[in-house]
Amino acid sequence: MQRKSLSNRLFQFGLICYMLLLSAIMLLPLVNVLCLSLEPNYIAIEPGRLHLIPQKITLKAYEDIFRNGQIMRSFGNSIFITVAGSLLGTLFTAMMGYGLCHTHIKGIHFVSYMILFTMMFSGGIIPSYILVKNLGLMNSLWAMVLPSMMSAYNVILMRSFFRSLPPELAESALIDGCNEMQTFVLIILPLSKAILATILLFYAVGRWNSFFDGVMYITDQAKKPMQVILREILIMSDNVDTSGDLDVGMNVKMATAFVTVLPILCVYPFLQKYFTKGVMLGAVKG
Amino acid sequence: MKKRLISVIPALAAILTLVSCSPAAPSSSASPAGQPSGSSQQPPAEQANYQPVTFHVMIRGTADTFGVPRTAEIQAKTVKDRWNIDLKYEMVDKNTYNEKVTAKFAAADFPSILYYGDAKVIQNAIDSKVFVPVTKAVMSPEYDNVDRQLYFIRWYQNGEYYGFNYHSGAPETINLRGDWLKNLNMEVPKNPEELKEVIAAMTNNDPDQNGKNDTYGLTMQGDLGMTGQFWSMFLPAPRIIPTKGAGLYIDSKDNTVKTILDDVPNMEKALAWFNSLYQEGILDPMYVTLKQQDVEAKFVSNQSGVWVKEIGGLPSRLAQIQNNVPDAEIVAMPPVETVSGVTNYDLVAFKSDCYFMTKDAPDVERGYELLKYLYGKEGIYAEAYGEEGVEYSLQGGAFQWLNEEARERSNPARVISSYLDLQLLDPIPVVENAFQAIQAMASWIRILPLTPQQQSPTTS
């Protein structure tokens, strides 16, 4: 085994220290939130100190959350929006990306530019609202899935990946009697698991965290997604005053925040590899 | 594998479709949970004369999340029984409320009743007849004892009232730890000099008697929000936010509107008072970094002894303090007469925020009844306490909670801030004391400057 030089070891040590510091910076807010959620409210509201180790532990905040029907309903809504939005978004993004690879089709470049255009200019809140209203999607969970089903960025990523695949694969499938749809489903998609996982994860994270659409298009309290409810809880600052807002306590606010990030927190480490892998696949040969 | 993939996609699509089409869980904000639907229920006699209509009420707030869905249930049941109205609330959080209203207006998607405060938008809506007059509701006999000139004049135009304002806002007072005052053998201060003495004692004389020098008499927000009551002790206008200007007042000498920023001699006095607190080390030096919630947290966690808060918000804060200090008390400082003869406290009268009925209200006449109910005595008590016989009882005139959860969820602030002459069913000592402390305000309430110069119709 080759002995490392002193400078090399120092560099490694510095690198480890730097990464530890970086990790601490990332982790401290999370630990802080977890600690606050586990403390009784009268301790959690104490200012002037960083809450990293609970002075006293109680699970009352979590009990309150799981007893609250509204939060559990919103959890279900978010799961539906995330699952439906991610699956449909990935499917249609893949279809569009594949279609855009066929540069021999007349007008395909114009379509590509149109897609690029949406990355720079959006319709804005009011046109989007009018569109959703006229589509009859107001107060429907589909309002959070359909209008923003595909992201132009992801379409381009997908197109770049498909372009990196040897065209001979599709050609041989066509010679063997497949039509375009069969070629896409039976040949192309199975070869694209990495990019599909990446895009799926992009969409899933985006959908889970999406908030503004929920505020704009959902009017029924029972249909609001988790992020909207979380925000409502977090801004409940003034305990029972004339505005009528009710304080739920700092510990409950933090417990809700923690419960909200938990699903992504659990899934992310296992799918993280697809992020780098998929993006590299799409980018290097784009 | 390939076949499995092909079969999985349509299966997933089918599952998603089924899930999304399944009926949503009952909404606590819509029709009452657990209530039978209208068709299966025998309609009461009063309801029989009305065709069913749906009123969409858009409100800025979040109370439905953890709050009192019972309120919505009671209100929805009552208005259904009486006027065959299906009441649908849409609650939007305060940070995105204006954006949503703007989008709704642009799409001509008006709720039946809207709570709103942007004066420019409101004026446009009145001019374009999007908002319809609510004069019939305002002129209801229930409000005969209310000074309409004071509370409803903001949106009185062309002989009609357009805005329905139902609460004045109880005044924000300077509050002190009463138990600390007792420990220090001091009285509630009545003027700036006495207040400074109390602040000094609360900083230096161990008011909580824990043997540590760990308290400050006063801390405040870095942006000077919620400090107007201190500044107004020296300056001629209440509701001052020094960093945001305002502080307009009428100079009786020449009958013109002026700003406190031009009142150099009195501003110097105010600055000198604050400066002396800082120089003597009795003002928490950390104040420059503090936000509203930090100031509150310091007060409820025994780190500071003076705090400005609306009276309605005191009971819950006292309860938090009493978690650690069971015999804690909060007392309000009486108002101080300013140089212009008004008080350093003020009511939130004349604000733009009101309830407006739009042209899309399905039945304007029933809309008046709805407003009168929701924001009249019955609606306010329902919101504050719940339903008699379910949440509380009044047998023999004695109030009694029927369950602990109802007591915890009660919101007496609605009663406190109402301009109707309503009594608290369940008296709260800290509130009663605060109101006693500010009794002198009654004769000092004055109309804010820049009031529209229209004449209000006389009370019928």
PDB file of all heavy atoms in Angstrom, chain B residues 90-118:
ATOM      1  N   GLU B  90     -63.903  30.064   2.358  1.00  0.00           N
ATOM      2  CA  GLU B  90     -62.589  29.858   1.752  1.00  0.00           C
ATOM      3  C   GLU B  90     -61.595  30.671   2.571  1.00  0.00           C
ATOM      4  O   GLU B  90     -61.653  31.897   2.586  1.00  0.00           O
ATOM      5  CB  GLU B  90     -62.570  30.321   0.297  1.00  0.00           C
ATOM      6  CG  GLU B  90     -61.211  30.096  -0.341  1.00  0.00           C
ATOM      7  CD  GLU B  90     -61.142  30.547  -1.787  1.00  0.00           C
ATOM      8  OE1 GLU B  90     -62.172  30.990  -2.340  1.00  0.00           O
ATOM      9  OE2 GLU B  90     -60.049  30.475  -2.358  1.00  0.00           O
ATOM     10  N   MET B  91     -60.737  29.969   3.269  1.00  0.00           N
ATOM     11  CA  MET B  91     -59.768  30.667   4.109  1.00  0.00           C
ATOM     12  C   MET B  91     -58.405  30.656   3.434  1.00  0.00           C
ATOM     13  O   MET B  91     -57.889  29.605   3.081  1.00  0.00           O
ATOM     14  CB  MET B  91     -59.681  29.997   5.466  1.00  0.00           C
ATOM     15  CG  MET B  91     -60.937  30.175   6.276  1.00  0.00           C
ATOM     16  SD  MET B  91     -60.688  29.730   7.979  1.00  0.00           S
ATOM     17  CE  MET B  91     -62.274  30.184   8.660  1.00  0.00           C
ATOM     18  N   VAL B  92     -57.853  31.836   3.282  1.00  0.00           N
ATOM     19  CA  VAL B  92     -56.557  31.954   2.605  1.00  0.00           C
ATOM     20  C   VAL B  92     -55.594  32.640   3.565  1.00  0.00           C
ATOM     21  O   VAL B  92     -55.970  33.619   4.225  1.00  0.00           O
ATOM     22  CB  VAL B  92     -56.684  32.784   1.314  1.00  0.00           C
ATOM     23  CG1 VAL B  92     -55.350  32.866   0.594  1.00  0.00           C
ATOM     24  CG2 VAL B  92     -57.749  32.191   0.404  1.00  0.00           C
ATOM     25  N   ASP B  93     -54.360  32.156   3.615  1.00  0.00           N
ATOM     26  CA  ASP B  93     -53.436  32.743   4.581  1.00  0.00           C
ATOM     27  C   ASP B  93     -53.088  34.173   4.188  1.00  0.00           C
ATOM     28  O   ASP B  93     -53.131  34.553   3.025  1.00  0.00           O
ATOM     29  CB  ASP B  93     -52.215  31.850   4.790  1.00  0.00           C
ATOM     30  CG  ASP B  93     -51.128  32.041   3.755  1.00  0.00           C
ATOM     31  OD1 ASP B  93     -50.631  33.159   3.624  1.00  0.00           O
ATOM     32  OD2 ASP B  93     -50.778  31.059   3.094  1.00  0.00           O
ATOM     33  N   LYS B  94     -52.735  34.947   5.205  1.00  0.00           N
ATOM     34  CA  LYS B  94     -52.610  36.386   5.018  1.00  0.00           C
ATOM     35  C   LYS B  94     -51.497  36.778   4.045  1.00  0.00           C
ATOM     36  O   LYS B  94     -51.566  37.839   3.435  1.00  0.00           O
ATOM     37  CB  LYS B  94     -52.388  37.060   6.368  1.00  0.00           C
ATOM     38  CG  LYS B  94     -51.204  36.548   7.161  1.00  0.00           C
ATOM     39  CD  LYS B  94     -51.229  37.100   8.571  1.00  0.00           C
ATOM     40  CE  LYS B  94     -50.151  36.439   9.417  1.00  0.00           C
ATOM     41  NZ  LYS B  94     -50.271  36.779  10.826  1.00  0.00           N
ATOM     42  N   ASN B  95     -50.496  35.932   3.870  1.00  0.00           N
ATOM     43  CA  ASN B  95     -49.372  36.305   3.026  1.00  0.00           C
ATOM     44  C   ASN B  95     -49.676  36.176   1.532  1.00  0.00           C
ATOM     45  O   ASN B  95     -48.977  36.752   0.706  1.00  0.00           O
ATOM     46  CB  ASN B  95     -48.149  35.448   3.364  1.00  0.00           C
ATOM     47  CG  ASN B  95     -47.664  35.718   4.769  1.00  0.00           C
ATOM     48  OD1 ASN B  95     -47.806  36.831   5.269  1.00  0.00           O
ATOM     49  ND2 ASN B  95     -47.126  34.722   5.421  1.00  0.00           N
ATOM     50  N   THR B  96     -50.666  35.375   1.196  1.00  0.00           N
ATOM     51  CA  THR B  96     -50.983  35.204  -0.224  1.00  0.00           C
ATOM     52  C   THR B  96     -52.400  35.683  -0.546  1.00  0.00           C
ATOM     53  O   THR B  96     -52.860  35.527  -1.661  1.00  0.00           O
ATOM     54  CB  THR B  96     -50.857  33.718  -0.634  1.00  0.00           C
ATOM     55  OG1 THR B  96     -51.459  32.911   0.368  1.00  0.00           O
ATOM     56  CG2 THR B  96     -49.431  33.311  -0.810  1.00  0.00           C
ATOM     57  N   TYR B  97     -53.022  36.277   0.448  1.00  0.00           N
ATOM     58  CA  TYR B  97     -54.429  36.655   0.291  1.00  0.00           C
ATOM     59  C   TYR B  97     -54.617  37.662  -0.847  1.00  0.00           C
ATOM     60  O   TYR B  97     -55.475  37.488  -1.714  1.00  0.00           O
ATOM     61  CB  TYR B  97     -54.930  37.252   1.607  1.00  0.00           C
ATOM     62  CG  TYR B  97     -56.423  37.388   1.682  1.00  0.00           C
ATOM     63  CD1 TYR B  97     -57.230  36.285   1.937  1.00  0.00           C
ATOM     64  CD2 TYR B  97     -57.041  38.618   1.486  1.00  0.00           C
ATOM     65  CE1 TYR B  97     -58.596  36.407   2.004  1.00  0.00           C
ATOM     66  CE2 TYR B  97     -58.410  38.745   1.550  1.00  0.00           C
ATOM     67  CZ  TYR B  97     -59.191  37.637   1.812  1.00  0.00           C
ATOM     68  OH  TYR B  97     -60.552  37.759   1.879  1.00  0.00           O
ATOM     69  N   ASN B  98     -53.801  38.704  -0.840  1.00  0.00           N
ATOM     70  CA  ASN B  98     -53.975  39.754  -1.847  1.00  0.00           C
ATOM     71  C   ASN B  98     -53.762  39.221  -3.258  1.00  0.00           C
ATOM     72  O   ASN B  98     -54.493  39.584  -4.182  1.00  0.00           O
ATOM     73  CB  ASN B  98     -53.015  40.916  -1.583  1.00  0.00           C
ATOM     74  CG  ASN B  98     -53.497  41.760  -0.424  1.00  0.00           C
ATOM     75  OD1 ASN B  98     -54.577  41.512   0.130  1.00  0.00           O
ATOM     76  ND2 ASN B  98     -52.718  42.735  -0.028  1.00  0.00           N
ATOM     77  N   GLU B  99     -52.770  38.347  -3.413  1.00  0.00           N
ATOM     78  CA  GLU B  99     -52.510  37.775  -4.745  1.00  0.00           C
ATOM     79  C   GLU B  99     -53.717  36.984  -5.228  1.00  0.00           C
ATOM     80  O   GLU B  99     -54.114  37.064  -6.385  1.00  0.00           O
ATOM     81  CB  GLU B  99     -51.298  36.844  -4.686  1.00  0.00           C
ATOM     82  CG  GLU B  99     -49.977  37.573  -4.797  1.00  0.00           C
ATOM     83  CD  GLU B  99     -48.813  36.625  -4.698  1.00  0.00           C
ATOM     84  OE1 GLU B  99     -48.517  36.173  -3.574  1.00  0.00           O
ATOM     85  OE2 GLU B  99     -48.213  36.341  -5.731  1.00  0.00           O
ATOM     86  N   LYS B 100     -54.305  36.240  -4.325  1.00  0.00           N
ATOM     87  CA  LYS B 100     -55.445  35.417  -4.713  1.00  0.00           C
ATOM     88  C   LYS B 100     -56.648  36.296  -5.055  1.00  0.00           C
ATOM     89  O   LYS B 100     -57.362  36.022  -6.017  1.00  0.00           O
ATOM     90  CB  LYS B 100     -55.795  34.429  -3.600  1.00  0.00           C
ATOM     91  CG  LYS B 100     -56.940  33.521  -3.974  1.00  0.00           C
ATOM     92  CD  LYS B 100     -56.797  32.127  -3.462  1.00  0.00           C
ATOM     93  CE  LYS B 100     -57.869  31.226  -4.060  1.00  0.00           C
ATOM     94  NZ  LYS B 100     -57.846  29.881  -3.553  1.00  0.00           N
ATOM     95  N   VAL B 101     -56.848  37.324  -4.270  1.00  0.00           N
ATOM     96  CA  VAL B 101     -57.976  38.225  -4.564  1.00  0.00           C
ATOM     97  C   VAL B 101     -57.761  38.890  -5.924  1.00  0.00           C
ATOM     98  O   VAL B 101     -58.688  38.994  -6.735  1.00  0.00           O
ATOM     99  CB  VAL B 101     -58.122  39.280  -3.444  1.00  0.00           C
ATOM    100  CG1 VAL B 101     -59.130  40.351  -3.846  1.00  0.00           C
ATOM    101  CG2 VAL B 101     -58.559  38.618  -2.146  1.00  0.00           C
ATOM    102  N   THR B 102     -56.530  39.310  -6.186  1.00  0.00           N
ATOM    103  CA  THR B 102     -56.224  39.952  -7.477  1.00  0.00           C
ATOM    104  C   THR B 102     -56.541  38.993  -8.623  1.00  0.00           C
ATOM    105  O   THR B 102     -57.170  39.378  -9.612  1.00  0.00           O
ATOM    106  CB  THR B 102     -54.736  40.344  -7.521  1.00  0.00           C
ATOM    107  OG1 THR B 102     -54.463  41.174  -6.400  1.00  0.00           O
ATOM    108  CG2 THR B 102     -54.406  41.098  -8.801  1.00  0.00           C
ATOM    109  N   ALA B 103     -56.104  37.742  -8.490  1.00  0.00           N
ATOM    110  CA  ALA B 103     -56.356  36.754  -9.545  1.00  0.00           C
ATOM    111  C   ALA B 103     -57.856  36.517  -9.711  1.00  0.00           C
ATOM    112  O   ALA B 103     -58.368  36.434 -10.825  1.00  0.00           O
ATOM    113  CB  ALA B 103     -55.642  35.449  -9.213  1.00  0.00           C
ATOM    114  N   LYS B 104     -58.552  36.436  -8.608  1.00  0.00           N
ATOM    115  CA  LYS B 104     -59.994  36.199  -8.672  1.00  0.00           C
ATOM    116  C   LYS B 104     -60.707  37.364  -9.347  1.00  0.00           C
ATOM    117  O   LYS B 104     -61.606  37.168 -10.161  1.00  0.00           O
ATOM    118  CB  LYS B 104     -60.558  36.006  -7.259  1.00  0.00           C
ATOM    119  CG  LYS B 104     -60.486  34.573  -6.766  1.00  0.00           C
ATOM    120  CD  LYS B 104     -61.075  34.483  -5.382  1.00  0.00           C
ATOM    121  CE  LYS B 104     -61.420  33.083  -4.957  1.00  0.00           C
ATOM    122  NZ  LYS B 104     -62.309  32.312  -5.739  1.00  0.00           N
ATOM    123  N   PHE B 105     -60.299  38.568  -9.007  1.00  0.00           N
ATOM    124  CA  PHE B 105     -60.926  39.732  -9.618  1.00  0.00           C
ATOM    125  C   PHE B 105     -60.649  39.771 -11.119  1.00  0.00           C
ATOM    126  O   PHE B 105     -61.531  40.084 -11.913  1.00  0.00           O
ATOM    127  CB  PHE B 105     -60.426  41.026  -8.946  1.00  0.00           C
ATOM    128  CG  PHE B 105     -61.251  41.423  -7.751  1.00  0.00           C
ATOM    129  CD1 PHE B 105     -61.547  40.513  -6.748  1.00  0.00           C
ATOM    130  CD2 PHE B 105     -61.752  42.711  -7.633  1.00  0.00           C
ATOM    131  CE1 PHE B 105     -62.315  40.866  -5.656  1.00  0.00           C
ATOM    132  CE2 PHE B 105     -62.532  43.078  -6.544  1.00  0.00           C
ATOM    133  CZ  PHE B 105     -62.810  42.155  -5.557  1.00  0.00           C
ATOM    134  N   ALA B 106     -59.399  39.451 -11.485  1.00  0.00           N
ATOM    135  CA  ALA B 106     -59.041  39.476 -12.915  1.00  0.00           C
ATOM    136  C   ALA B 106     -59.846  38.441 -13.690  1.00  0.00           C
ATOM    137  O   ALA B 106     -60.184  38.649 -14.853  1.00  0.00           O
ATOM    138  CB  ALA B 106     -57.553  39.206 -13.066  1.00  0.00           C
ATOM    139  N   ALA B 107     -60.160  37.320 -13.031  1.00  0.00           N
ATOM    140  CA  ALA B 107     -60.911  36.265 -13.698  1.00  0.00           C
ATOM    141  C   ALA B 107     -62.422  36.422 -13.494  1.00  0.00           C
ATOM    142  O   ALA B 107     -63.187  35.547 -13.882  1.00  0.00           O
ATOM    143  CB  ALA B 107     -60.464  34.908 -13.157  1.00  0.00           C
ATOM    144  N   ALA B 108     -62.812  37.559 -12.899  1.00  0.00           N
ATOM    145  CA  ALA B 108     -64.233  37.809 -12.586  1.00  0.00           C
ATOM    146  C   ALA B 108     -64.835  36.660 -11.794  1.00  0.00           C
ATOM    147  O   ALA B 108     -65.985  36.281 -11.998  1.00  0.00           O
ATOM    148  CB  ALA B 108     -65.034  38.061 -13.868  1.00  0.00           C
ATOM    149  N   ASP B 109     -64.036  36.097 -10.927  1.00  0.00           N
ATOM    150  CA  ASP B 109     -64.481  34.968 -10.106  1.00  0.00           C
ATOM    151  C   ASP B 109     -64.688  35.497  -8.683  1.00  0.00           C
ATOM    152  O   ASP B 109     -63.874  35.277  -7.791  1.00  0.00           O
ATOM    153  CB  ASP B 109     -63.391  33.883 -10.146  1.00  0.00           C
ATOM    154  CG  ASP B 109     -63.757  32.665  -9.323  1.00  0.00           C
ATOM    155  OD1 ASP B 109     -64.951  32.493  -9.031  1.00  0.00           O
ATOM    156  OD2 ASP B 109     -62.848  31.890  -8.976  1.00  0.00           O
ATOM    157  N   PHE B 110     -65.784  36.212  -8.494  1.00  0.00           N
ATOM    158  CA  PHE B 110     -65.990  36.897  -7.215  1.00  0.00           C
ATOM    159  C   PHE B 110     -66.658  35.973  -6.192  1.00  0.00           C
ATOM    160  O   PHE B 110     -67.635  35.299  -6.531  1.00  0.00           O
ATOM    161  CB  PHE B 110     -66.882  38.131  -7.405  1.00  0.00           C
ATOM    162  CG  PHE B 110     -66.389  39.058  -8.469  1.00  0.00           C
ATOM    163  CD1 PHE B 110     -67.120  39.258  -9.630  1.00  0.00           C
ATOM    164  CD2 PHE B 110     -65.184  39.727  -8.315  1.00  0.00           C
ATOM    165  CE1 PHE B 110     -66.667  40.110 -10.621  1.00  0.00           C
ATOM    166  CE2 PHE B 110     -64.725  40.578  -9.310  1.00  0.00           C
ATOM    167  CZ  PHE B 110     -65.465  40.766 -10.471  1.00  0.00           C
ATOM    168  N   PRO B 111     -66.162  35.973  -4.978  1.00  0.00           N
ATOM    169  CA  PRO B 111     -66.909  35.266  -3.932  1.00  0.00           C
ATOM    170  C   PRO B 111     -68.170  36.058  -3.601  1.00  0.00           C
ATOM    171  O   PRO B 111     -68.307  37.214  -4.025  1.00  0.00           O
ATOM    172  CB  PRO B 111     -65.937  35.260  -2.752  1.00  0.00           C
ATOM    173  CG  PRO B 111     -65.037  36.420  -2.990  1.00  0.00           C
ATOM    174  CD  PRO B 111     -64.970  36.647  -4.464  1.00  0.00           C
ATOM    175  N   SER B 112     -69.069  35.469  -2.857  1.00  0.00           N
ATOM    176  CA  SER B 112     -70.297  36.194  -2.502  1.00  0.00           C
ATOM    177  C   SER B 112     -69.975  37.305  -1.496  1.00  0.00           C
ATOM    178  O   SER B 112     -70.480  38.411  -1.593  1.00  0.00           O
ATOM    179  CB  SER B 112     -71.320  35.243  -1.884  1.00  0.00           C
ATOM    180  OG  SER B 112     -71.406  34.066  -2.613  1.00  0.00           O
ATOM    181  N   ILE B 113     -69.154  36.944  -0.524  1.00  0.00           N
ATOM    182  CA  ILE B 113     -68.748  37.908   0.497  1.00  0.00           C
ATOM    183  C   ILE B 113     -67.241  37.815   0.632  1.00  0.00           C
ATOM    184  O   ILE B 113     -66.670  36.722   0.667  1.00  0.00           O
ATOM    185  CB  ILE B 113     -69.442  37.607   1.844  1.00  0.00           C
ATOM    186  CG1 ILE B 113     -70.944  37.910   1.723  1.00  0.00           C
ATOM    187  CG2 ILE B 113     -68.824  38.429   2.978  1.00  0.00           C
ATOM    188  CD1 ILE B 113     -71.755  37.485   2.930  1.00  0.00           C
ATOM    189  N   LEU B 114     -66.622  38.978   0.703  1.00  0.00           N
ATOM    190  CA  LEU B 114     -65.164  39.022   0.694  1.00  0.00           C
ATOM    191  C   LEU B 114     -64.679  39.918   1.820  1.00  0.00           C
ATOM    192  O   LEU B 114     -65.210  41.010   2.035  1.00  0.00           O
ATOM    193  CB  LEU B 114     -64.696  39.596  -0.656  1.00  0.00           C
ATOM    194  CG  LEU B 114     -63.228  39.976  -0.806  1.00  0.00           C
ATOM    195  CD1 LEU B 114     -62.378  38.717  -0.971  1.00  0.00           C
ATOM    196  CD2 LEU B 114     -63.031  40.874  -2.024  1.00  0.00           C
ATOM    197  N   TYR B 115     -63.672  39.454   2.524  1.00  0.00           N
ATOM    198  CA  TYR B 115     -63.015  40.306   3.515  1.00  0.00           C
ATOM    199  C   TYR B 115     -61.797  40.899   2.845  1.00  0.00           C
ATOM    200  O   TYR B 115     -60.938  40.178   2.329  1.00  0.00           O
ATOM    201  CB  TYR B 115     -62.593  39.461   4.720  1.00  0.00           C
ATOM    202  CG  TYR B 115     -61.977  40.273   5.837  1.00  0.00           C
ATOM    203  CD1 TYR B 115     -62.777  41.063   6.661  1.00  0.00           C
ATOM    204  CD2 TYR B 115     -60.610  40.251   6.076  1.00  0.00           C
ATOM    205  CE1 TYR B 115     -62.216  41.810   7.679  1.00  0.00           C
ATOM    206  CE2 TYR B 115     -60.047  40.996   7.096  1.00  0.00           C
ATOM    207  CZ  TYR B 115     -60.854  41.767   7.895  1.00  0.00           C
ATOM    208  OH  TYR B 115     -60.295  42.509   8.903  1.00  0.00           O
ATOM    209  N   TYR B 116     -61.703  42.225   2.836  1.00  0.00           N
ATOM    210  CA  TYR B 116     -60.596  42.830   2.102  1.00  0.00           C
ATOM    211  C   TYR B 116     -60.248  44.189   2.678  1.00  0.00           C
ATOM    212  O   TYR B 116     -61.068  44.817   3.358  1.00  0.00           O
ATOM    213  CB  TYR B 116     -60.966  42.953   0.616  1.00  0.00           C
ATOM    214  CG  TYR B 116     -59.767  43.005  -0.279  1.00  0.00           C
ATOM    215  CD1 TYR B 116     -58.752  42.065  -0.148  1.00  0.00           C
ATOM    216  CD2 TYR B 116     -59.615  43.982  -1.257  1.00  0.00           C
ATOM    217  CE1 TYR B 116     -57.628  42.104  -0.965  1.00  0.00           C
ATOM    218  CE2 TYR B 116     -58.517  44.031  -2.081  1.00  0.00           C
ATOM    219  CZ  TYR B 116     -57.519  43.088  -1.926  1.00  0.00           C
ATOM    220  OH  TYR B 116     -56.415  43.139  -2.733  1.00  0.00           O
ATOM    221  N   GLY B 117     -59.012  44.641   2.370  1.00  0.00           N
ATOM    222  CA  GLY B 117     -58.566  45.882   2.968  1.00  0.00           C
ATOM    223  C   GLY B 117     -57.816  46.826   2.059  1.00  0.00           C
ATOM    224  O   GLY B 117     -57.465  47.925   2.476  1.00  0.00           O
ATOM    225  N   ASP B 118     -57.566  46.449   0.805  1.00  0.00           N
ATOM    226  CA  ASP B 118     -56.814  47.332  -0.079  1.00  0.00           C
ATOM    227  C   ASP B 118     -57.736  48.440  -0.584  1.00  0.00           C
ATOM    228  O   ASP B 118     -58.625  48.213  -1.404  1.00  0.00           O
ATOM    229  CB  ASP B 118     -56.257  46.517  -1.250  1.00  0.00           C
ATOM    230  CG  ASP B 118     -55.347  47.343  -2.139  1.00  0.00           C
ATOM    231  OD1 ASP B 118     -55.671  48.530  -2.378  1.00  0.00           O
ATOM    232  OD2 ASP B 118     -54.320  46.821  -2.594  1.00  0.00           O
TER     233      ASP B 118
END
